[in-house]
Amino acid sequence: MEKLLVLYSSRNGQTKKIIEAMRSEFSGYDVELVDLHTNPRKNLSKYDKVVVGASIRYGRFHDSLYTFIHHHSEQLAAVDAAFFCVCLTARKPEKAVPGKNAYIRKFLARSPWRPRTIGVFAGALKYSEYNWWQTRIIQLIMKITGGSTDTSQDLEFTDWDKVAEFARKVAGRG
């Protein structure tokens, strides 16, 4: 059975939820999930495919993403590796395309790694999980970008069909 390594950086759980949804498309693979926040060191040559997924918070990826990539950039270049980003800006169709997404462009400018497959998915707005300061900051960002400032409800913007399509592409079925 082929081996698939999935590394992720998730703050409020949406990136991990997206990965869990992808797993149904990874049948036939022995899938290993690893949290990038644990600062893992891996021998990527032991895997047939590698997927890295990371969320944006306040306009930034978690530092653990770049730490992993800088330590593993040569290995990532040598394996069949994919990257996806989870961000609220991707709730808008024009920003849900990798080539038009500012965070993907920012990632590629900072990273020595050039993933073979790139995806971008809208995340979730979980006001119920934010503290007072986070709520105010997110409300300000949402007001500026035309999003919901209503703290009485959480919103999920993820396009699950798009997630499945990306996973099938990674698995060589799409």
Side-chain angles (χ1 to χ4, degrees), residues 3 5-8 32-47 50 52 63-76:
K3 294 181 79 169
L5 175 64
V6 181
L7 302 124
Y8 65 91
E32 180 182 346
L33 296 180
V34 177
D35 185 343
L36 283 170
H37 299 181
T38 65
N39 295 315
R41 298 292 175 117
K42 290 289 192 180
N43 178 352
L44 302 184
S45 68
K46 294 181 177 184
Y47 301 90
V50 175
V52 179
D63 288 340
S64 63
L65 170 69
Y66 293 112
T67 299
F68 181 84
I69 289 170
H70 286 288
H71 284 116
H72 296 84
S73 61
E74 288 180 22
Q75 291 183 61
L76 283 164

Side-chain angles (χ1 to χ4, degrees), residues 6-8 15-23 33 84:
V6 181
L7 302 124
Y8 65 91
T15 303
K16 190 168 183 187
K17 185 175 179 181
I18 288 169
I19 289 166
E20 291 297 338
M22 287 182 185
R23 284 187 90 150
L33 296 180
F84 72 89

Side-chain angles (χ1 to χ4, degrees), residues 111-145:
S111 172
W113 172 44
R114 294 295 169 260
R116 293 182 186 166
T117 306
I118 300 175
V120 60
F121 308 115
L125 187 56
K126 297 182 179 181
Y127 281 119
S128 66
E129 296 181 17
Y130 306 147
N131 66 32
W132 188 87
W133 284 109
Q134 291 170 322
T135 298
R136 299 302 165 254
I137 292 168
I138 298 290
Q139 277 184 308
L140 176 63
I141 293 167
M142 288 294 107
K143 185 173 183 169
I144 291 168
T145 63

